[in-house]
């Protein structure tokens, strides 16, 4: 079945450091890929997404590129801030507007702590 | 506009009791999902509603779990005869038509003593 694997955390970085959180997926078809973020005490929020191979999603300085050849969707940010401290989830879903359910399949999450 | 809301935010119950969790999706969103977030299992899909179609219950872990959606809007997740392993955060999400972005509520933290 389909699955998402992301790097184990926690990840601790100093402010302004470069961030990479690895995410790979196993899929039977051609899913959309997502990064969701959960800030302390808050709900899940969509950070960015990509719907097809070679698409790059970006938001708030974060980027991820849909790589079909390596089945990866790694999250990167050039300079992290303390406010980026959160749990990051990689996920996939299938959207077939003809009726596919589109439920998200999540990775286990990676906790990021950024120190000043 | 208003986002997805869930109630209660916290629920503590005794083993064997029934609980009901409520979700109010974003107005106009036809798709509604329930997920469970637990330490051991991560985020798991439970059930999906799309308009007036029969729900997809393929993620429900046992027959103690059920859900309904009234009038294509509000949804209630019911857990009967709760067990300690049901302790988790239950998340609801909704999605508009012809988009793949789901919007999540703040969740209900369920603790079964």
């Amino acid at each position: 079945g389909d699955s998402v694997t992301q790097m184990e955390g926690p990840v601790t970085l100093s402010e302004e450091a470069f961030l990479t959180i690895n995410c790979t997926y196993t899929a039977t078809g051609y899913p959309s890929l997502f990064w969701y973020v959960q800030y302390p005490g808050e709900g899940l929020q969509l950070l960015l997404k990509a719907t097809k191979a070679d698409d790059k999603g970006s938001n708030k300085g974060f980027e991820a590129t849909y790589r079909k050849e390596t089945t990866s969707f790694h999250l990167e940010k050039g300079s992290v801030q303390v406010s980026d401290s959160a749990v990051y989830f990689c996920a996939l879903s299938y959207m077939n507007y003809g009726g596919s359910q589109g439920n998200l399949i999540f990775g286990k999450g990676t906790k990021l702590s950024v120190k000043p | 506009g208003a986002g997805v809301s869930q109630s209660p935010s916290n629920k503590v119950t005794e083993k064997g009791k029934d609980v009901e969790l409520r979700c109010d999706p974003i107005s106009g969103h036809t798709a509604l999902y329930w997920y469970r977030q637990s330490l051991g299992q991560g985020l798991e899909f439970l059930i999906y509603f799309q308009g007036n179609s029969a729900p997809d219950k393929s993620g429900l872990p046992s027959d103690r779990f059920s859900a309904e959606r009234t009038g294509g809007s509000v949804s209630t997740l019911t857990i009967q005869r709760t067990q300690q392993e049901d302790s988790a955060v239950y998340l609801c999400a909704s999605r508009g038509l012809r988009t793949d972005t789901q919007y999540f509520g703040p969740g209900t933290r369920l603790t079964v003593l």
Side-chain angles (χ1 to χ4, degrees):
Chain A
D2 299 327
S3 65
V4 175
T5 303
Q6 60 182 105
M7 62 188 289
E8 299 267 340
V11 174
T12 303
L13 296 174
S14 297
E15 205 164 23
E16 299 183 2
F18 184 85
L19 168 71
T20 299
I21 301 178
N22 290 335
C23 170
T24 57
Y25 66 91
T26 301
T28 51
Y30 303 98
S32 294
L33 301 175
F34 305 82
W35 278 100
Y36 277 84
V37 59
Q38 190 171 36
Y39 296 103
E42 298 185 18
L44 276 169
Q45 303 175 25
L46 177 67
L47 180 59
L48 55 82
K49 67 178 184 181
T51 56
K52 62 183 188 297
D54 299 326
D55 271 2
K56 177 186 284 188
S58 61
N59 186 26
K60 299 182 181 180
F62 290 89
E63 292 183 340
T65 301
Y66 191 140
R67 300 287 188 199
K68 184 181 170 187
E69 63 276 13
T70 54
T71 61
S72 65
F73 193 55
H74 304 321
L75 182 68
E76 296 183 335
K77 186 174 186 182
S79 176
V80 294
Q81 305 300 312
V82 172
S83 57
D84 293 327
S85 297
V87 181
Y88 292 81
F89 293 91
C90 185
L92 68 81
S93 77
Y94 292 94
M95 281 306 304
N96 173 345
Y97 297 122
S100 176
Q101 61 202 42
N103 63 283
L104 289 159
I105 297 170
F106 288 93
K108 295 287 189 184
T110 302
K111 183 175 182 179
L112 170 67
S113 295
V114 181
K115 306 297 185 186
Chain B
V4 178
S5 61
Q6 293 186 245
S7 60
S9 55
N10 280 284
K11 177 72 176 178
V12 180
T13 191
E14 294 179 348
K15 178 180 172 181
K17 300 281 180 136
D18 297 353
V19 295
E20 284 189 353
L21 312 179
R22 176 187 169 105
C23 171
D24 278 275
I26 292 172
S27 178
H29 279 192
T30 56
L32 186 148
Y33 303 80
W34 283 97
Y35 295 88
R36 177 169 70 173
Q37 186 175 21
S38 58
L39 280 176
Q41 301 300 320
L43 275 155
E44 306 170 278
F45 162 74
L46 297 177
I47 189 169
Y48 159 70
F49 295 90
Q50 172 62 272
N52 295 320
S53 302
D56 178 348
K57 305 178 183 180
S58 60
L60 294 179
S62 79
D63 58 8
R64 296 186 294 104
F65 288 72
S66 63
E68 62 178 20
R69 189 177 184 192
T70 54
S73 181
V74 171
S75 177
T76 303
L77 177 69
T78 301
I79 309 173
Q80 295 179 307
R81 305 181 303 282
T82 52
Q83 304 295 311
Q84 287 183 332
E85 62 262 28
D86 299 335
S87 296
V89 177
Y90 289 82
L91 297 171
C92 176
S94 70
R95 172 176 61 78
L97 198 60
R98 308 193 74 79
T99 175
D100 54 9
T101 299
Q102 295 182 29
Y103 296 87
F104 283 80
T108 293
R109 181 175 296 278
L110 175 66
T111 303
V112 182
L113 302 177

